[in-house]
Amino acid sequence: MESSYATIIAQYLESVADWRRRRALEESWEPRHGQAAARLDQLVAFVRSLPDDDDRFAVIGKLNRDGELLIPGPILANAVARFGFYADDVSDDALLTRMAELAIEDRGQAGIDPLRDLPF
């Protein structure tokens, strides 16, 4: 049985939170890793609380699903990795909306050379 978009998104967020926890152990002097992991855990709980038919899940999932995994583009992946690392008061709802926006932005960047704007 195929997992829902909500499930694979939550699993991806959990994997990023786990990565942040590992970073917290490696860099014990940097408390923001633990803060980011906790923030991502909060976002996972929010995602799991929403109905599976939330439109944002479909946007993120359709653009980033690979089988039973979410494989985000570089813009979305970079943003998710930073959720909670820097001080912000962004709601879970706003973060999920931002994820959908960034998934669309990643799609628009597909096939564009990321080095094109470098000055050399």
Side-chain angles (χ1 to χ4, degrees):
M1 181 175 169
E2 191 172 271
S3 299
S4 69
Y5 290 138
T7 298
I8 65 167
I9 291 166
Q11 290 169 341
Y12 174 74
L13 293 170
E14 287 172 335
S15 74
V16 178
D18 290 343
W19 169 74
R20 276 290 179 200
R21 278 187 271 284
R22 288 190 304 275
R23 293 291 309 269
L25 292 173
E26 294 166 2
E27 298 177 6
S28 57
W29 65 89
E30 179 54 84
R32 294 181 295 176
H33 292 302
Q35 294 167 2
R39 183 66 184 93
L40 287 163
D41 289 338
Q42 181 182 333
L43 184 57
V44 168
F46 175 73
V47 165
R48 292 191 185 282
S49 75
L50 294 174
D52 283 345
D53 64 352
D54 188 294
D55 291 338
R56 296 169 293 187
F57 295 150
V59 169
I60 298 165
K62 286 179 182 176
L63 296 174
N64 296 284
R65 184 181 196 141
D66 186 4
E68 289 296 303
L69 297 174
L70 187 77
I71 309 293
I75 298 169
L76 178 57
N78 188 43
V80 170
R82 293 171 181 262
F83 286 172
F85 191 77
Y86 298 101
D88 59 29
D89 292 330
V90 180
S91 70
D92 294 327
D93 191 65
L95 285 177
L96 185 58
T97 298
R98 187 69 181 136
M99 286 178 68
E101 294 166 351
L102 293 172
I104 293 168
E105 186 176 338
D106 264 331
R107 177 58 64 170
Q109 295 297 316
I112 296 175
D113 181 1
L115 302 177
R116 73 188 183 285
D117 294 328
L118 294 178
F120 52 84

